[in-house]
Amino acid sequence: AGLHTTFITGRGGDSVRRRAQELGIARIWERARDKSAAFDEMLAEIHTRDAELEERRANLELQVAERTRELRVANSELTQARDEAQEIADASEQLARHKQAMLNTAAEGIFGLDEHGVATFINRSAARMFGTSIEELVGRPLHSIIHDPEMAALPLDSCPVCSATQHPPRRSGSASFVTFTGTSFPIE
């Protein structure tokens, strides 16, 4: 016996259903129709998901591009700020070297104090007069170091040399300082 193949074509409808009933394959045809409908539904869902994924991908690409642009701008601004800060630091260092060179060439002893009486700069002549190095004095409160014990016992605000609150800020007169070895020397 040979194999008999029957093709039922069409998208449904009464004529196809009737022909399937005539051939005794109505149940098979209905299951195939249901599976085809489920497959069509699944394909539609896949297409919908693909469209949503494509939209999300496009949105993500836009977000990445925007964030990348923002990061490039921020990086450029940071680079510029760093370069400007380096220029300022270089200029400040050069100015400090220039000031120190000027201070070091002066024969007079010169030092500066902050509002707490701490030495912020001192030249070689002053360090030599005190009998020590510049490094030994800069960053230290000088009031108790440079005065005799009687003057050093005064509060910093009462000191005519070391006080930041005394006016005028430039003072003149005569007094004496003490070296690291305890020897006094006159100042004007």
Side-chain angles (χ1 to χ4, degrees):
L3 182 62
H4 177 70
T5 304
T6 303
F7 291 99
I8 302 176
T9 60
R11 282 283 198 191
D14 289 338
S15 62
V16 174
R17 188 177 319 120
R18 265 185 265 126
R19 179 72 178 135
Q21 285 173 346
E22 288 171 7
L23 295 171
I25 56 168
R27 278 190 155 159
I28 295 172
W29 177 81
E30 286 173 3
R31 278 187 268 161
R33 184 192 62 196
D34 292 345
K35 287 183 182 189
S36 177
F39 182 75
D40 288 346
E41 200 174 293
M42 206 169 34
L43 277 179
E45 188 174 323
I46 289 171
H47 288 300
T48 300
R49 287 182 182 175
D50 284 350
E52 289 172 357
L53 285 173
E54 179 59 29
E55 183 178 340
R56 287 180 184 161
R57 185 196 59 77
N59 285 336
L60 283 174
E61 285 180 2
L62 288 174
Q63 288 176 359
V64 167
E66 177 62 20
R67 297 299 184 270
T68 301
R69 186 194 65 74
E70 290 171 358
L71 288 172
R72 283 189 179 128
V73 167
N75 189 41
S76 175
E77 290 171 353
L78 286 172
T79 299
Q80 183 178 358
R82 181 201 63 209
D83 293 347
E84 289 173 2
Q86 185 61 50
E87 286 177 20
I88 291 168
D90 291 346
S92 178
E93 186 178 320
Q94 183 178 2
L95 182 60
R97 283 192 308 269
H98 182 66
K99 281 182 179 179
Q100 191 63 47
M102 287 177 28
L103 285 171
N104 289 340
T105 60
E108 294 85 13
I110 304 169
F111 61 87
L113 304 174
D114 68 9
E115 67 274 6
H116 304 290
V118 174
T120 57
F121 67 87
I122 190 163
N123 71 349
R124 286 185 189 141
S125 295
R128 199 172 18 252
M129 289 175 188
F130 289 120
T132 189
S133 67
I134 293 172
E135 295 78 19
E136 184 69 29
L137 295 170
V138 172
R140 292 186 61 191
L142 293 189
H143 181 66
S144 61
I145 297 172
I146 64 174
H147 293 299
D148 61 41
E150 184 180 319
M151 185 67 110
L154 290 175
L156 179 66
D157 289 344
S158 301
C159 178
V161 175
C162 300
S163 172
T165 59
Q166 294 273 325
H167 290 290
R170 291 190 182 137
R171 297 163 183 98
S172 60
S174 59
S176 65
F177 284 154
V178 178
T179 67
F180 266 52
T181 61
T183 308
S184 290
F185 63 94
I187 60 162
E188 291 183 1

